[in-house]
Amino acid sequence: MIDLGRLRALHAVASYGTVLAAGEALHCTPSAVSQQIAKLERETGAVLVEKDGRRLRLTDAGRVLADHAERVLTSVQEAEAALAAHRDTVTGRLTVAAFATACRALMPHALKKLATEHPQLTTGLIEVNPHEGLELLRRGHVDLAVLDDWPEVALRYPETITKIEIGQDHADLIVPKDHEIKGKIYLKEARDERWIGVRAGDVCYEYLVRRLPGLVPDFQVGEFETQLTLIAAGLGVGLIPRLARPALPDGVRVVEVTPLPTRRVVLAWRDSSAARPAIQAAEEALREAWDQASAKATSASRTVNAPA
């Protein structure tokens, strides 16, 4: 059976006349095109091209096969278009990996929207840190990843992964209500405070200790809600993203830090899944969830620098 990729290489050479131009059209190197043509000649037992100066000229056998290649490739394109039309219905299974805050602040709205608008789609959710989420995505264990990506501890995305930013989440210093810190401060000014942070290994922990080298939080807990409870008890201070605190408990106050700590909220999927209607539907649902959640976070943050 003749390989379809090699037919594409022959068709490109027939259309553009040179290996270089064919490679540019196929988004590959001229060497790769030449190798495909050579394999096709071995596969068919026929000489298909001849050198004509800097160009390639098709032999009689090459022209015969190139004509058939055009018809075959046209049929393939028509099949792909028909399949894409069939896929307009959002069906199948979509498993999402998301960091903890996104699981609470974004996923309930997004999953409900998907269930309501696309009842033939089955969804699943796994809560993991962004490094684990990206690895699960790369290996094909999940279809979509919702990641928090701090510039200071930026994630490394494989070449086969598509990523888009849906928003930026900012973090503030949260202190007990009667704390002496007032106004906007540099983070290093709070270096000697007792710190309440997330556990070591979490991306938010990595961010904090890079901004304040040598810092080891006195309390390390798994949830931002627990941090807020401990801060309200007067036990220390913490750096908490706004998306993670749509409501603040009594007994705490928000202090804005400059420069403002910022993390990107990113959606990622494998390049090969880009055409899936389920991915497109999930992106739409998560963007809507982000708009709602960030509006709540902005409203809650109006207490920034409120007097003690």
Side-chain angles (χ1 to χ4, degrees), residues 74-246:
T74 298
S75 295
V76 170
Q77 291 170 358
E78 291 172 350
E80 290 173 342
L83 186 58
H86 174 73
R87 288 173 178 165
D88 282 346
T89 301
V90 181
T91 60
R93 179 173 179 82
L94 182 82
T95 303
V96 181
F99 64 101
T101 300
C103 283
R104 292 190 300 273
L106 303 180
M107 294 311 304
H109 177 88
L111 291 173
K112 183 177 180 180
K113 179 179 175 69
L114 288 172
T116 301
E117 298 183 0
H118 308 290
Q120 296 183 57
L121 178 68
T122 303
T123 55
L125 176 64
I126 303 174
E127 180 182 312
V128 290
N129 69 47
H131 298 292
E132 293 171 328
L134 198 53
E135 182 61 14
L136 287 173
L137 180 65
R138 186 187 69 81
R139 294 187 176 212
H141 297 312
V142 300
D143 305 291
L144 180 72
V146 186
L147 312 167
D148 59 330
D149 194 353
W150 296 84
E152 291 80 1
V153 284
L155 297 172
R156 294 183 178 180
Y157 298 90
E159 292 183 357
T160 56
I161 299 298
T162 295
K163 65 181 186 301
I164 60 166
E165 178 183 316
I166 63 170
Q168 295 187 348
D169 188 22
H170 305 299
D172 302 295
L173 183 68
I174 309 298
V175 302
K177 201 163 189 177
D178 59 356
H179 199 285
E180 62 184 11
I181 291 178
K182 299 290 190 299
K184 185 184 295 187
I185 68 167
Y186 293 102
L187 190 60
K188 64 183 180 182
E189 295 179 58
R191 173 69 177 76
D192 296 329
E193 297 289 334
R194 295 195 76 193
W195 276 88
I196 301 167
V198 294
R199 293 171 296 192
D202 188 283
V203 67
C204 292
Y205 178 94
E206 294 175 25
Y207 169 83
L208 182 62
V209 298
R210 288 200 184 192
R211 286 289 301 270
L212 299 175
L215 174 70
V216 178
D218 298 280
F219 303 93
Q220 297 180 27
V221 298
E223 301 290 339
F224 287 119
E225 289 90 341
T226 307
Q227 287 183 252
L228 288 168
T229 301
L230 295 173
I231 296 168
L235 296 173
V237 304
L239 189 71
I240 301 182
R242 295 174 184 176
L243 194 64
R245 53 172 217 270

